[in-house]
Amino acid sequence: MEESLFLPVRYLKGVGPKRASAFEKIGVNTVEDLLYYFPKRYEDRRDPIFISGLKTDKAYTVKAEVLSFAQRRSFQRRGFQVTEITVRDSTGKLCCVWFNQPYLKEYFKAGTNLILHGKPEEYAGRLQMNSPEFEIVSDEDEPLNIGRLVPVYSCPNGMTQRYLRRIIKKAQDGYLSKIDDFLPFDIRSRENLFNRAKSLINIHFPASQQDQEEAYRRLSFEEFFIFELPLALRKLRRREKAGIAHNVERELADNFIEKLPFELTRGQQKVIAEIRADMAKPAAMQRLLQGDVGSGKTVVAVAACLTAVQGGYQAAFMVPTEVLARQHYEKIRSQLSGAGCQGGEIKIGLLTGSAKDKERKKIIKEIEAGRTQIVIGTHALLEESVKFKKLGLIVIDEQHKFGVGQRSLLPEKGSNPDVLIMTATPIPRTLAITLYGDLDVSVINELPPGRIPVKTVHFSKEGKRRAYELARNQILAGSQAYIVYPVIEESYALDIEGAKKMYEELRSGEFRDFRLALIHGRMKQAEQDEIMRDFKKGELDLLVSTTVLEVGIDVPNATCMIVEDAERFGLSQLHQLRGRVGRSSKESFCLLISNASSARSRARFEAMIKYNDGFCIAEEDLKIRGPGEFFGQRQSGLSELRIADPLRQMRLLKRAREAALKLVIKDPGLQQRANRPLKEQLLRRFPAYEKLIMTG
Ligand code: ADP
Ligand code: MG
């Protein structure tokens, strides 16, 4: 009976209320959770190293007996108390010390057998381990703790390694023999995977290194598979629903492209062709467009909008900030009229949260009547009152700024419209395909010609005068500059105060001879718009700002970006900020000011200096932060992955995805007998998927 796996751990013999609550704190509620509480590492205690064989090159594990014990004050450090023991085995003696842990007295009686794990160091002419991990071994539970690959866990409060091993072993003995494997047999045999019980045994107490690896592979596959299954179902479901076959042959979009003041890059052309092919098909497009900052995604999006418009449909273009919405609105309007494709005939609307009641009603009415053909807006577009007459295409710019929930709301406003999602946080392609498993992926892999890589330099706070000087020189040469201050939500008001103060200082100090303005997200929209407009027109030299500039802003004449307190920005964010400059053929600079010395901030600055390419930056960012944080835990569902690592196991992830796709095509309702345990497992983890499966 599978039921017993859901037995609360507190009913296990050996787990009292106190330990049960310690388990609960780390998310271990049931026997199943306990079995899935994986070790953080293993110790090879098959052939214990003898003391005579110890070196100082790495950590070793030895088995030895306590010979003597002493506690005393430290000679070197006042107020420190030292616990020192000498242990021996048949080949020699070893000294071990711990600081300020007087309770250790309880453990180290002469004659006690210990397993010690630590890195030996040379001290006063002999080998010593400082604060080694230790366990007391007794003969009765020896097979779990010695003579094998031994699991090492992070111990919840008040539990020892030995206790955890014993209780997990008990759970295995009592409950594993009865469990079903929810991974269908044909997948397991095709992928050559251990069954579930065997994996759950060997992940804790591997019979050999190889069995541990196999157990790890199976359990990782399982996680990937469960992660991919809903994506596969969603993809399938959408494919079956009728979408719009757009008329891609009319000339509106072509005219627009032809009249642009520049040639499209090959990357842009290729992606436009991919989007057209998708839009022509009767199925709804679900495409993710990746392209580095400045690669020219906006014109691609506009071409797609016009493709929808020329066949009589409306297009909605959603962006994360009002400033960006306004910028797109104005640029697209001028491109359409300048392009001579009778801009007057195509009606563009702008809808943001700050639109006044009367005006807003009017805009909404125009959209509902179908008179507005391209609607640009912020998440104000998602409001219930906004209805479209004939919504044919949705573009979501800077998608990483929206939650999954927000992203999926807009399509509800049409009848299965095409969707184009754009991002400047590129990720390795295979990873993109598998993580956004329900999307197709297009990539613009080049920048428009003539762009010079932005020169990035790191300054200490003491050296920032030099950064300012560089900015001044740029301005004197006819360019413009930004200075950005970090703003974190919790201290928003405080940070804005900081930015205001700096602005006053700069205005009366370093930059007193120039025209500068302050812009931040709490200012009235009209004010922000006016400042951006002035900056764009070249009537301002320097913009002091909070992160409202982070995404999308396009002022080609700006060549200098100064980032203050740069350590407070993530790597991708820094790259986005840098993307505000280097948008013309002039040389540009990104100056990072920070005194931070943590390894993480240093790694970020180094990556910024070394790489200009967004794909490299994203890969570095992934490495520094790990996938969960990189993609946003909740957003991506990656927190479900406990041991599987999408970066290091990309091939396995891909196989799991393929297996999931294959399975849902064969059995979209997961109704076949062989797939029923899988369905149960899926619904237990994600109850919300009931609907997805049923209608699949
Ligand atoms: P992003 O991909 O970051 O959204 P944008 O769409 O804002 O980039 O484009 C960046 C700048 O490059 C804009 O000023 C745009 O007009 C210009 N641009 C786009 N495509 C080309 C091209 N093929 N050649 C020259 N300039 C281009
Ligand atoms: Mg953009």
Side-chain angles (χ1 to χ4, degrees):
M1 275 293 294
E2 187 63 24
E3 285 307 304
S4 48
L5 270 187
F6 309 124
L7 186 77
V9 276
R10 65 173 179 278
Y11 297 132
L12 276 181
K13 229 178 128 201
V15 183
K18 221 166 128 196
R19 280 180 176 138
S21 94
F23 270 134
E24 208 174 290
K25 278 203 190 96
I26 54 163
V28 173
N29 298 305
T30 63
V31 169
E32 185 184 38
D33 296 335
L34 186 60
L35 292 170
Y36 277 80
Y37 190 69
F38 300 132
K40 60 177 178 182
R41 64 179 175 87
Y42 303 85
E43 265 176 33
D44 189 347
R45 298 185 185 168
R46 283 170 300 191
D47 310 301
I49 291 281
F50 290 111
I51 289 176
S52 62
L54 292 180
K55 282 180 287 193
T56 54
D57 55 341
K58 59 168 185 150
Y60 289 91
T61 306
V62 294
K63 183 184 176 199
E65 174 193 347
V66 177
L67 195 63
S68 67
F69 165 89
Q71 282 187 326
R72 57 171 170 79
R73 303 206 163 282
S74 167
F75 305 131
Q76 286 91 14
R77 300 179 68 175
R78 279 176 70 118
F80 270 63
Q81 189 256 13
V82 183
T83 303
E84 185 175 297
I85 62 172
T86 304
V87 297
R88 71 159 176 215
D89 67 7
S90 57
T91 67
K93 288 185 206 167
L94 174 70
C95 179
C96 301
V97 299
W98 291 264
F99 296 98
N100 288 345
Q101 300 186 39
Y103 59 88
L104 289 176
K105 187 159 76 184
E106 306 297 320
Y107 297 102
F108 301 138
K109 309 271 179 309
T112 306
N113 279 313
L114 296 178
I115 298 268
L116 293 147
H117 178 81
K119 189 165 179 257
E121 281 166 37
E122 192 140 346
Y123 182 76
R126 50 176 197 172
L127 283 187
Q128 167 176 314
M129 279 185 186
N130 288 324
S131 306
E133 287 178 37
F134 72 93
E135 285 173 43
I136 296 170
V137 282
S138 67
D139 294 334
E140 99 212 35
D141 54 10
E142 198 135 286
L144 280 190
N145 297 307
I146 198 153
R148 54 159 43 256
L149 287 170
V150 178
V152 180
Y153 301 91
S154 4
C155 285
N157 247 342
M159 295 183 207
T160 62
Q161 296 291 346
R162 279 155 46 89
Y163 170 75
L164 269 176
R165 284 177 207 134
R166 191 149 38 92
I167 204 77
I168 287 171
K169 182 71 167 56
K170 204 175 229 166
Q172 289 183 343
D173 292 345
Y175 300 92
L176 268 187
S177 58
K178 302 167 196 155
I179 68 169
D180 276 343
D181 195 332
F182 57 81
L183 269 190
F185 179 76
D186 61 328
I187 293 181
R188 256 184 295 143
S189 66
R190 194 168 56 226
E191 298 295 327
N192 212 351
L193 298 171
F194 273 14
N195 70 31
R196 192 170 171 218
K198 191 169 179 187
S199 326
L200 286 174
I201 290 172
N202 279 285
I203 200 72
H204 293 284
F205 302 107
S208 67
Q209 184 78 36
Q210 200 190 348
D211 282 355
Q212 188 277 334
E213 280 161 20
E214 286 301 321
Y216 178 64
R217 192 167 70 88
R218 142 75 206 223
L219 292 165
S220 304
F221 186 92
E222 168 183 324
E223 286 189 345
F224 285 146
F225 187 75
I226 293 282
F227 178 87
E228 291 291 337
L229 204 53
L231 298 178
L233 280 163
R234 206 174 293 150
K235 182 168 184 153
L236 185 77
R237 195 176 135 190
R238 219 160 22 215
R239 204 186 293 165
E240 285 174 348
K241 213 158 118 192
I244 303 161
H246 287 277
N247 183 346
V248 299
E249 297 305 334
R250 311 254 311 259
E251 61 275 1
L252 199 54
D254 288 338
N255 270 350
F256 164 73
I257 291 168
E258 215 164 282
K259 302 277 167 55
L260 282 171
F262 45 72
E263 289 276 305
L264 291 181
T265 62
R266 274 213 311 261
Q268 286 170 317
Q269 289 171 14
K270 181 193 75 191
V271 168
I272 288 177
E274 284 167 355
I275 291 170
R276 273 200 188 174
D278 271 8
M279 289 183 72
K281 285 186 210 151
M285 167 169 78
Q286 295 293 327
R287 192 164 278 280
L288 174 70
L289 168 54
Q290 297 196 26
D292 202 351
V293 198
S295 59
K297 294 182 291 294
T298 320
V299 286
V300 171
V302 176
C305 290
L306 293 173
T307 307
V309 168
Q310 67 190 0
Y313 286 93
Q314 290 169 292
F317 196 149
M318 186 164 78
V319 306
T321 65
E322 303 214 357
V323 171
L324 186 54
R326 159 88 46 193
Q327 171 187 290
H328 278 359
Y329 173 72
E330 279 171 1
K331 180 141 190 181
I332 294 170
R333 231 172 36 161
S334 82
Q335 275 174 339
L336 286 181
S337 58
C341 49
Q342 291 114 4
E345 277 185 14
I346 297 176
K347 278 215 62 190
I348 310 178
L350 173 69
L351 183 66
T352 65
S354 66
K356 297 264 171 4
D357 253 7
K358 213 173 117 202
E359 189 195 344
R360 158 200 224 81
K361 280 207 185 104
K362 203 175 122 207
I363 300 169
I364 290 178
K365 219 171 113 197
E366 294 287 294
I367 299 173
E368 187 164 3
R371 281 193 291 273
T372 304
Q373 291 151 299
I374 300 178
V375 188
I376 296 157
T378 57
H379 36 259
L381 288 174
L382 300 175
E383 277 162 30
E384 219 166 297
S385 55
V386 181
K387 299 192 183 75
F388 289 81
K389 180 154 188 236
K390 216 179 162 194
L391 182 58
L393 172 75
I394 288 162
V395 179
I396 296 172
D397 197 5
E398 311 289 352
Q399 68 89 22
H400 60 285
K401 290 277 162 186
F402 295 99
V404 169
Q406 287 178 312
R407 229 160 48 205
S408 57
L409 276 175
L410 204 44
E412 314 265 298
K413 295 188 183 280
S415 165
N416 211 18
D418 285 349
V419 178
L420 177 66
I421 293 172
M422 309 204 289
T423 178
T425 308
I427 49 172
R429 195 185 165 87
T430 26
L431 208 52
I433 294 172
T434 38
L435 292 182
Y436 300 109
D438 51 342
L439 306 178
D440 297 303
V441 182
S442 286
V443 180
I444 303 181
N445 52 2
E446 63 191 318
L447 295 179
R451 300 273 169 86
I452 306 170
V454 177
K455 192 160 181 221
T456 304
V457 188
H458 172 204
F459 291 92
S460 69
K461 285 197 162 180
E462 292 70 40
K464 81 174 169 188
R465 302 271 161 256
R466 281 189 295 138
Y468 291 160
E469 191 181 325
L470 206 153
R472 276 202 310 269
N473 288 336
Q474 288 294 300
I475 297 173
L476 287 172
S479 298
Q480 289 161 285
Y482 302 103
I483 298 186
V484 171
Y485 287 89
V487 165
I488 38 179
E489 283 304 320
E490 304 91 78
S491 63
Y492 206 99
L494 219 68
D495 283 336
I496 287 186
E497 276 317 303
K500 275 186 191 155
K501 209 169 128 232
M502 279 310 292
Y503 166 68
E504 293 301 336
E505 272 178 41
L506 295 171
R507 196 164 68 145
S508 53
E510 304 272 346
F511 293 94
R512 65 179 165 270
D513 301 328
F514 300 104
R515 300 164 298 176
L516 54 163
L518 173 71
I519 184 169
H520 61 75
R522 289 282 164 94
M523 274 160 96
K524 286 221 184 65
Q525 195 52 42
E527 248 178 290
Q528 290 187 37
D529 290 342
E530 195 184 324
I531 290 173
M532 280 317 296
R533 233 178 337 240
D534 289 349
F535 190 70
K536 238 170 241 189
K537 277 191 283 184
E539 287 167 8
L540 289 169
D541 303 311
L542 175 73
L543 215 47
V544 179
S545 114
T546 59
T547 34
V548 286
L549 292 181
E550 183 190 331
V551 292
I553 297 306
D554 182 42
V555 182
N557 190 47
T559 57
C560 186
M561 164 63 72
I562 296 181
V563 186
E564 303 266 354
D565 294 331
E567 75 280 358
R568 282 166 66 185
F569 295 94
L571 186 50
S572 295
Q573 243 181 330
L574 288 174
H575 181 67
Q576 284 275 348
L577 284 170
R578 174 167 64 184
R580 298 311 117 221
V581 297
R583 293 185 158 246
S584 68
S585 51
K586 291 203 246 179
E587 185 177 28
S588 292
F589 301 89
C590 174
L591 311 175
L592 307 174
I593 295 176
S594 168
N595 275 0
S597 59
S598 76
R600 263 188 165 207
S601 11
R602 271 211 314 272
R604 286 201 293 259
F605 300 154
E606 272 162 30
M608 282 291 288
I609 291 165
K610 191 157 153 209
Y611 303 111
N612 248 288
D613 176 83
F615 281 87
C616 300
I617 291 281
E619 263 173 59
E620 285 302 303
D621 200 14
L622 252 170
K623 271 189 230 153
I624 294 172
R625 287 196 290 168
E629 214 183 305
F630 180 85
F631 293 106
Q633 292 286 10
R634 258 167 311 149
Q635 233 201 55
S636 60
L638 280 171
S639 53
E640 292 293 325
L641 304 181
R642 295 158 167 228
I643 51 169
D645 179 345
L647 273 190
R648 280 192 308 174
Q649 297 171 290
M650 220 154 3
R651 283 231 303 281
L652 192 71
L653 173 54
K654 225 173 129 197
R655 298 195 66 90
R657 168 183 158 77
E658 276 154 19
L661 275 171
K662 217 159 155 181
L663 181 107
V664 301
I665 287 170
K666 261 199 349 224
D667 183 16
L670 302 183
Q671 273 155 350
Q672 289 169 15
R673 205 193 160 90
N675 296 333
R676 259 182 241 157
L678 180 62
K679 181 171 168 181
E680 275 167 32
Q681 179 74 11
L682 187 69
L683 290 181
R684 201 163 48 239
R685 295 237 193 132
F686 309 104
Y689 286 142
E690 179 84 47
K691 218 168 107 202
L692 196 64
I693 298 178
M694 291 325 214
T695 46

